[in-house]
Amino acid sequence: MNINFFNEDVSVKISQKNLKKWIRFTIEKEGFICGNLSFVFCSDEYLLKINKEYLSHDYYTDVVTFDYVEDKKISGDIFISVDRVMENADEYKVSFKDELDRVIIHGVLHLLGFKDKSQSLKKKMTEKEDEYLSVISKF
């Protein structure tokens, strides 16, 4: 029942206590139990290497999620490219923190079973992201 944050080859400062409460709230609101989650903040190159090695994908991405979910217990490793988050924040005209929060909850939603491989699934996932982003200030 741990949520941990790590910096691999980058340095990101976050309010861990509030994020942990928000992540637990999201998991429990969806009817699951929080297991062990690790968030690893890294560079584009670090995440590209993981994407190639474990998923056979040769492209940059903002998040890669490894799912260790058992029944209703949500566990996994979520790797987040800080480079992609910064670029996306600029592109979408949002703050780095807001984009990072979106990517964090996006990874959690994948562990909760949400998919984004089609336009309709992506729309549902974005709606869920927005739902949970709308309450983050309460934590």
Side-chain angles (χ1 to χ4, degrees), residues 115-127:
K115 308 288 185 222
D116 58 359
K117 293 296 182 193
S118 71
Q119 280 305 111
S120 62
L121 292 174
K122 187 173 181 150
K123 184 177 185 272
K124 286 179 187 175
M125 182 174 251
T126 300
E127 288 170 357

Side-chain angles (χ1 to χ4, degrees), residues 1 3 40 46 55 64 66 72 80 90 114 124 128:
M1 299 244 248
I3 299 174
V40 181
Y46 187 92
L55 303 175
V64 170
F66 293 96
K72 290 284 197 176
I80 297 173
D90 286 343
F114 289 87
K124 286 179 187 175
K128 272 294 179 184

Side-chain angles (χ1 to χ4, degrees), residues 18-32 97-98 100-110 112-114 124-139:
N18 293 343
L19 275 175
K20 288 178 181 182
K21 288 179 183 177
W22 177 57
I23 292 164
R24 279 192 184 96
F25 169 81
T26 299
I27 291 169
E28 290 168 5
K29 186 143 189 324
E30 291 296 320
F32 292 87
K97 182 198 176 308
D98 287 349
L100 183 61
D101 290 342
R102 181 173 295 278
V103 174
I104 287 170
I105 210 64
H106 183 91
V108 171
L109 289 171
H110 272 308
L112 292 168
F114 289 87
K124 286 179 187 175
M125 182 174 251
T126 300
E127 288 170 357
K128 272 294 179 184
E129 289 170 9
D130 291 342
E131 176 185 334
Y132 288 111
L133 287 166
S134 73
V135 299
I136 193 170
S137 63
K138 296 178 182 179
F139 298 94

Side-chain angles (χ1 to χ4, degrees), residues 6-57:
F6 303 96
N7 290 307
E8 191 50 48
D9 58 350
V10 298
S11 181
V12 177
K13 303 262 190 265
I14 55 170
S15 175
Q16 291 188 20
K17 183 178 176 185
N18 293 343
L19 275 175
K20 288 178 181 182
K21 288 179 183 177
W22 177 57
I23 292 164
R24 279 192 184 96
F25 169 81
T26 299
I27 291 169
E28 290 168 5
K29 186 143 189 324
E30 291 296 320
F32 292 87
I33 300 163
C34 186
N36 293 314
L37 295 175
S38 293
F39 291 86
V40 181
F41 302 113
C42 58
S43 67
D44 265 351
E45 295 307 316
Y46 187 92
L47 193 52
L48 178 61
K49 183 179 174 186
I50 288 173
N51 214 7
K52 285 179 181 178
E53 186 175 334
Y54 295 99
L55 303 175
S56 299
H57 297 160

